[in-house]
Amino acid sequence: MSATPAPDPLLSVRDLTVTVRGEAGERTLIDGVSLDLAKGEILGLVGESGSGKSLLCRALVRLLPSRALAIAGGSVRLAGRELTTASTAEMEAVRGGAIGMIFQNPSSHLDPVMRVGDQISEGVIFHRKLDRVAARAEAVAIMEQVGFTDPARQYSNYPHEFSGGMRQRAMIAVALACDPDILIADEPTTALDVTIQAQILRLLMELRERRGLSIILITHDLGVVAQTCDRIAVMRQGGVVETGAKRQILTSPQHPYTRALIASHPSMPVDYEASEVDDQASQADQAQPFAPAPTPPLAPRPLVEIDDLQVRYPVGGGVFTRRRFFSALAGVSLQIMPGETVGIVGESGSGKSTLARAMLGLSPISDGHVTFDGDSLRLTPAATLARMRREAAMVFQDPFNSLNPRFTIGETLAEVLRVHGKVAPSAIPARVEELLRLVELDPALAVRRPRQLSGGQCQRAGIARALAVDPRLIVADECVAALDVTIQAQIVDLFRRLVATMDLTLVFIAHDLAIVRHLCQRVVVMHHGRIVEEGPCAEVFARPREAYTAALIAAIPDIDPDRRLLMPPASVLSS
Amino acid sequence: MSGAAATRRLSPTLLVGLGILGLFALAALAAPVIAPYDPIYQEATARLQPPSFAHPFGTDNFGRDILSRIIFGARVDLQMAAIGVFFPFVIGTFIGALAGFFGGLVDAVLMRLIDIILAFPFLVLMLSIIAILGPGLSSFYIAMALVGWVSYARLIRAQILVLKTADYAVAAVSLGFSKPRVLFRHLLPNAVAGSVVFCMSDAVLVLLSGAAISYLGLGVQPPTAEWGIMVAEGQAFLSQAWWITLFPGLSIVVLAFGFSLIGDALGEMMGVHE
Amino acid sequence: MHRYSFILTRPLQFLPVVFGVSLITFILVRLIPGDPARVLLGARATPTAIANIRAQYGLDEPLWLQYFYFLRNLLHGEMGTSIVYKIDVLRLIATRIEPTLALVVASVVLSILIAVPLAALAARHQGRPIDHVIRIVSTFGIGFPPFWLGLMLIILLAVTVPIFPVSGYGDTLFQKLAHLFLPALTIALSLSTVLLRSLRAAMVDWLKSDVATAARARGVPESVVFWRHVLPNSIAPSINLLAVNIGWLIGGTVVIESIFALPGMGQLLVRAIFSRDYMVVQGVAMVFACATVMVNFLADIATVAADPRVKL
Amino acid sequence: MKSAFRTSRLAAFAALLSLSASFAATSVAHAAGVLSIARNEDSTTFDPIKSAQNVDNWVFSNVFDVLVRVDATGTKLVPGLAESWSVSDDGLTYTFKLRDAKFSDGAPVTAEDAAYSLIRIRDDKGSLWSDSFKIIDTATAADAKTLVVKLKSKSVPFLSMMALPNASVLPKKLVEGAAADTFAEKPVGSGAFSLVEWRRGDRIILKKNPNYWDAAKVSLDGVEWLVIPDDNTRMLKIQAGEVDAAITVPFSRVAELKKNADLTVISDPSTREDHMLINHEHGPLAKKEVREALDMAIDKKAIVEAATFGLGEVAYSYVPKGSLYHYADNLQRPYDPEKAKKLLADAGASGLTLNYIVNAGKETDEQIAVLVQQQLSKAGVTVNLQKVDPSQSWDMLVTGDYDISVMYWTNDILDPDQKTTFVLGHDSNMNYMSRYKNEEVKALVEAARLETDPAKREAMYVTLQKMAKADVNWIDLYYSPYINVTRKNISNFHQNPLGRFFLEETVKN
């Protein structure tokens, strides 16, 4: 599987430097990067956001995103041919013809108003000079290769008519259409669910085998790299800090940054503490090592009780046609005890966010009951909502978007305190400072607006805002999904400390099972608007009862290079 | 993307736009000081004089100094642009915000109302209002407000519809903020950017509507100096005294240019496209 | 197809709009001081003659009853009789629809012919001198009062250099096109600037978009990227803008019609308002309303056709 | 058909783009003898009894004929369809002898038709002229060519009224048999021309009527009346040679058009008089001295200079210059703002503020308003201008919601009685909305109507003109001519003072 680098690499990058002309003069974005890619090799390019990995790959084919950017030095040689000085026409032949690209977000990279098949045959027409009919036949053949079930018909569909996974397949088909030697895959699976991610990664590896492709796989996820690549290059701040064979990098990282990266990865501890869990699944007596279990034994009443909850949205239909509904939640029942930390996992569209919002009375309920500390949202909506607003708070996914961009962090917090009136107006500034310290933010940041903060800082501010109400319940909806792994680890730690010290009940929603495994006592697995499995974390992860849960767990790319990436059986996922 | 960089330094577009607007505003404020003549003073012996040292922009058929009339006209036209935009903006923003935020029946009713007004011939409304209330600027403003709010309402409604699903809006609701607080403190300030940009092109529209109404014979009361009416009245002398129409016409064009530049620059700064 | 099913249901929404327009028009024109009978009789008006005319046209009835009659007539496909022209309003309008319609269509076509190439040129050279020139010239274009611009065009292209006719409407298609050119150009010079700005902005965005990057990454030449990917994607937002502007145009060609002596509905409307010819004002307003609604309807269809994602 | 459409469209586009063809030429594709006239408004109807507007009368005179006509000077009645007429001694019975004339469809014009037309204008529900023709008792055909009209009471102006285009003789058979507006769409008359097509809002196309009784005299093959509302465009249209004539030339354009060697500017005397109405019921305006002061404070000469560009003439009597019984020596108060100020002070009306209703969209009226405002300010009078559309100003004048306003009057009959009655005779319109009241004047108006001796009658009208001036019933401003312009190749294009165009005499070379 691991090919040794050929003596004469297919692609050779030397001292590549990209600069940007700005108002304050020139800045270097890619700083003297050197890389080699052998034929048939998969090179993993790893780094966090802003490390320059995407820009590097664009620079290879000279598709810099702005005219202010320029290749300032170095060379890119493709099979001995220099690309940095090639003519426009030559580059057009290289792009697609020799180097194909796959992008992170297939939804935005596929032309929404052009049929998928036409986008595949477009490159065929330009590179292979085929006529329309022949190009179409070629495109259909490639679509079949990448896993379209009915390519002849699907040729005429538009991108939005496909799921995310199929769109990424289409993107791959577009890149493969002209039979390139090198495939650059820029975060090809980041926007996808784990099970789909596994399928796409497998597809890439198959293609490599079948076509002898060389692949540069850009990703932030070390797990993905561990499961797929031959060699790894770690990037940080525009430069490559470390390159080497996969096993060598993962097992004996040299650079401290690589070490930090590996340490932050929320790997699934395979055997760790599995033995500690016994079979009793009663929720009342959980002695977890993470939480000090502050639950008063005499208060068995659940804080939140959800009973056969249904949420439906109308889709389509009109005057003449019958209205049709989409069931986001199809009968969910769940109890959350005070002081518990519950993780809700599931893939996109499984209804986990809807559940979170319905739980807090933020989504209209079609049927069923939500009870908050004994008050029913159905029976006494006004009073229950009022209580919820005072005693529960939410933390959101997008750290920037969850804070009003016009308010400073201080203003955001102060407003909450003022509205809730739990703190005397004169004491507000002090309380704001206290809250910021609680989430380990420098109080000096209070005067900044969200845009002037990093994602991690914003997320801390978001948590501080949730804490400002002095809540008993915090619902965190995918609150680390948008963050880099090192930041993710810090936020998860913060949550763990807060839960431990503040008598909080936490509902933590995530698609990343590893994080939930780390943080939560109990896990709830959702699929298609229903709960398919729930139970103590350790037990569910160790011995999943449902095939779906098992598939979900198996699809997580582990950082351990020896663990095989399992593609879940299609029967479990198709629905 | 480059929003942060753009806000720090004023773009040249904005500077030129503000410069033009500022120049006219200055002319309007200092009109009595800088205008060489009384704008309504008629000099019987100096009718239809071409531009000269005494009258840089010439005189009209009453022997009034065009330059002075343009300077004083700036007062009326800037006021027209400002008020003609302000009320539609305020009304439209308010209604659009309510429709977008509350949805349901409120939205349905308001949207039908907007449809009706959009389908209503502007001219019927304009001429009727002026006829009913009597001619003059206030009738003009009322008519502009009755029609103009629709554009703003649509813009704001669309923005609110998007923003109310934004996480910070949901967060505000989940924190128990009252509806007015969520709407007016959190959503609206973030929604108005597009409308502020639109204001600038709307101001141009207001000026031109005023000129068109003058052409149809109903505008500002004579002998008030106003550019649109000066162009309209000057048309009678188009072939013998081009300067009567040219200079006020150019004033409208240049002011409109200024507004457009400001609109462009604001749009770029706020990342808004019309 | 399902995406187009709104074509069947949408017309139901037209009814309240047209009804609303008729009601507002009815009330508004009757609030205007002035009496059609007096206008008709002129300086020689005597009270008996006025009363006679008012009775003849039912103007002495209570307002609600007049509106009721109006609606009743409408159900029979009638809009009453013009007080000034003494003929059936619908017949009167029918004689005046074509020039207005032709003018609007010609203006829109001309605007598109002007706006699309210029927007393309500007967007593809964003930030370069040609872009600035196009933007500045087009920004200037917005501010010209149309009546002034129209006259200048006549003086320039019909009198000084007699290429086009000064005014009027023709008999043959060829003549009509010749007569429509200058008025359409007058409108197009301002309409195209609006269109140009919006198109340019969209094109600039799409040129930077992932779609364009992806197309370039598969070796598609820049010009093809532009015409096959950027342009089709940039059109959708402009359709709505165009629809709104056409809506304005339908009721706003009066000044142009008057300057170019086009025998269209705008002129009819203004004369009807000034002479308090209630029935004609109502009729024209309703025709305009229907036209605006139709334009929006067509714009919806065009939007759906231009963007397969859109569902209405 | 479709492909034909497409090719012609393609051809059109090619031509548009190459700009090679001169489109102007295509639009002047008139037959050699067709006179095209540009005017600012379209006709409203072809039923003469249903209109009271000049735009219609102009065309009525082309298409229809009347029993008695007013001559080109506007001072004499001459035979029309009636070869001759006689009046009974008691002044109640008029007998008209009709000439051998035919309608454009070839049917003869009979006394029956004439009688029917007169009864129709008196009795028809849609007639706007019922009041004026109430004076007719009976109208009968004594034989095919003899019409006898009996009046209810004596009326000297009656014969002049027979010259109104609205009293044109219509074919009884066609009008009676047709539905209400069918005849108006396809009119048949006995005038010099007949209607070919009416493209509403665009043009009226007339062709020569071969059955016209004086057809030999008619030189034109046809006439086209084009509608070009914008003054500038209308003038540019004739400058570009796209029409043969353009009427209602704005005063401001005359000097420039005169310089054009291809054009003839024609100035025909009219009966138009512009005057300033004063609301006699409003406060100090009831005082004669105040009105006198206003008359003195208004510099009519300056108005004539600035607003009519010297083309008008200062007015001093309500009977227009050149028309019947005009008194040329009437009083003219000199312009004297100082004296006016003093008069106002004496009358206790210093610091007078007046509400001036201005007709919107009338170039000259707006100019006068601006001039008057400044002139009166010199006499210490503040004038607030209020610009409203003409229909509304009319309403405001009727309800008395005004102090002063400038209006004009053009005679449509030759006899001064009509205007005198409307202006001085206390009739139902409050003396032309001025609310002027003078019993002595009123009695004299009545008497003048019945006086058959021309000399005595003239004396009575002279007295009336003096009395009105003394009372300042209104302020006479200026008389102005009809100003039209034709291309150089057009001759005999004239209007009489009552506005009738004599197109049967016009020649296109």
Side-chain angles (χ1 to χ4, degrees), chain D residues 30-64:
Chain D
H30 304 130
V34 174
L35 181 79
S36 53
I37 310 168
R39 55 174 176 168
N40 60 349
E41 262 184 61
D42 196 13
S43 287
T44 66
T45 181
F46 267 98
D47 190 341
I49 65 167
K50 289 182 180 167
S51 171
Q53 304 192 37
N54 286 333
V55 283
D56 289 314
N57 280 353
W58 294 334
V59 185
F60 291 160
S61 305
N62 303 152
V63 174
F64 304 112

Side-chain angles (χ1 to χ4, degrees), chain B residues 40 42 47 61-62 64 131 135 215 217-223 229 233 235-240, chain D residues 230 232 252-253 256 302 305-306 309 360-361 363 366-367 370-371 373-374 385-389 392:
Chain B
I40 60 167
Q42 305 173 4
R47 286 194 193 118
N61 53 314
F62 295 106
R64 298 178 295 198
Y215 173 81
L218 294 162
V220 183
Q221 293 296 339
I229 211 167
E233 286 176 353
Q235 274 193 48
F237 309 94
L238 203 59
S239 36
Q240 42 182 324
Chain D
D230 187 89
N232 276 308
S252 57
R253 239 50 67 86
E256 171 208 348
E305 276 312 307
F309 291 75
E363 190 183 306
E366 290 188 20
Q367 287 170 6
V370 173
L371 287 166
Q373 187 182 39
Q374 182 169 347
L385 301 183
Q386 200 180 346
K387 196 160 81 168
V388 295
D389 88 73
Q392 190 180 351

Side-chain angles (χ1 to χ4, degrees), chain A residues 274-294:
Chain A
S275 57
E276 284 179 36
V277 182
D278 50 27
D279 276 345
Q280 334 163 350
S282 88
Q283 289 125 340
D285 71 346
Q286 283 163 6
Q288 294 298 321
F290 313 115

Side-chain angles (χ1 to χ4, degrees), chain A residues 229-262:
Chain A
C229 299
D230 304 316
R231 285 197 309 128
I232 297 179
V234 181
M235 283 195 75
R236 192 189 185 200
Q237 292 169 1
V240 173
V241 298
E242 191 166 2
T243 327
K246 168 173 70 177
R247 214 163 289 274
Q248 175 205 334
I249 297 274
L250 291 178
T251 51
S252 53
Q254 301 299 308
H255 197 276
Y257 177 69
T258 317
R259 265 180 253 143
L261 216 50
I262 292 171

